[in-house]
Amino acid sequence: MAAWVTEGAEGGGAALTLGQLGELSVPERCAWLTGRGSEEFASAIEEATAVAPGVDEVLDVDRLAWAVGFNVVGPVRDEGAGRGVKGYLDRWGASTPWDRVWGSLVRERADPHTGATGTRLGDLAVSVACEQRDVWQPTGARPVDRAAANGVFEALFAQNLPMVRGYVSKRFVGAGVDAEQVAIEAWSRMFCDHWSGSAHKRFLGLSRITTLVCQIARYVALDEVRDAERAGGAGYPGDPGGGPGVGGGQGLGGAETLAAVGVAADPSAEMNTEESLRHIAAGVAALPPRQRLAAEMVWHQRMPAKEAAAAMRVSEPAVSQMLAKARRSMRRHLGAEG
């Protein structure tokens, strides 16, 4: 990998530091990065497309280079940035040579959860392709193609949901945690926080996407366990010792789902709670990813449809349509209609 140097520096050039790069405007950073790393950016897009089909249809070298340049400093507070590390300067410090940061992004390493070999720059490419915040995109670029971005997300979600579910099942074995719903909740939070139209955290490529989602899933599951303990062992969705999908915890519970789809709870189901919950969970799991996200936000989080629409960067009628389709699918699954 060639050294990244400043032009005209005394002695033939000096290694560029993060602080020096941060002093440039984002367009200047993008131009500088593109001129020196175009091959690596192109390779990252190819790698990302193999992981989530459709990336190459919405992402090019300039847009990916812009994301890397933008991430040197990261979002400012008035752009809705979350707390903590916002950019590479926060992570490494101003005196760090850019070579060190770039090396971390392009070094191949095995995904600890899937075993697949890839680069963090490749994961960053997937993330940028999922993004729906126009303010994070290159100046003068066309508005984000939301349908295409959703398509990339759905491909990523469908491919990796089983892995996250397996991670939760293994880590929380015997804890009564509903691994399927925890995994869905984790992906929902990842989408809302990093990729939706109201996202407030931009993925930096400091880890693999799967590592971050599994970390989110771990926190969701721990919240379920704590909620159940505070409720005095009343349980939570997926806990055979609890009630029929009620009580603390995250995820779409049985009672909540039945109420949302307009199906009256069968009193006899109390005698077979675990089987009933599995049946409801199977119906939720069969919903398309976007319908699952809408259902999670509105049915469980009690988010108004208008807020869910803003988070998903779609119209309020679109959310209503997703929920209507999810409701019909669930009613058919539960045998409430033909």
Side-chain angles (χ1 to χ4, degrees), residues 113 161 163-173 175-190 209-227 236 249-250:
H113 301 286
L161 178 64
M163 181 276 298
V164 179
R165 181 177 61 229
Y167 166 84
V168 175
S169 295
K170 182 177 180 180
R171 191 174 185 92
F172 291 88
V173 61
V177 170
D178 187 332
E180 175 77 11
Q181 299 309 319
V182 167
I184 292 173
E185 167 74 3
W187 279 106
S188 176
R189 293 187 185 185
M190 183 71 185
I209 290 176
T210 53
T211 298
L212 181 54
V213 176
C214 284
Q215 183 181 42
I216 295 171
R218 175 175 173 270
Y219 291 138
V220 172
L222 286 173
D223 284 345
E224 284 204 358
V225 172
R226 295 188 187 107
D227 286 346
Y236 42 85
Q250 305 292 327

Side-chain angles (χ1 to χ4, degrees), residues 188 192 198 293-312 319 323:
S188 176
C192 293
S198 58
L293 286 175
E296 167 61 31
M297 292 177 190
V298 178
W299 293 353
H300 174 70
Q301 296 181 14
R302 307 300 174 90
M303 183 183 295
K306 184 176 182 180
E307 293 182 17
M312 298 174 74
V319 169
L323 293 174

Side-chain angles (χ1 to χ4, degrees), residues 233-248:
Y236 42 85
D239 181 358
V246 298

Side-chain angles (χ1 to χ4, degrees), residues 24 59 64 69 112-113 125 137 140-141 168 199 204 207 210 218 229 243 292:
L24 302 177
L59 189 63
L64 181 55
H113 301 286
Q137 309 311 316
V168 175
L204 301 177
S207 68
T210 53
R218 175 175 173 270
E229 290 174 348
R292 289 196 212 181

Side-chain angles (χ1 to χ4, degrees), residues 13-33:
L16 192 72
T17 65
L18 260 179
Q20 291 171 324
L21 192 55
E23 291 173 359
L24 302 177
S25 67
V26 179
E28 288 173 331
R29 293 176 215 157
C30 177
W32 190 84
L33 290 164

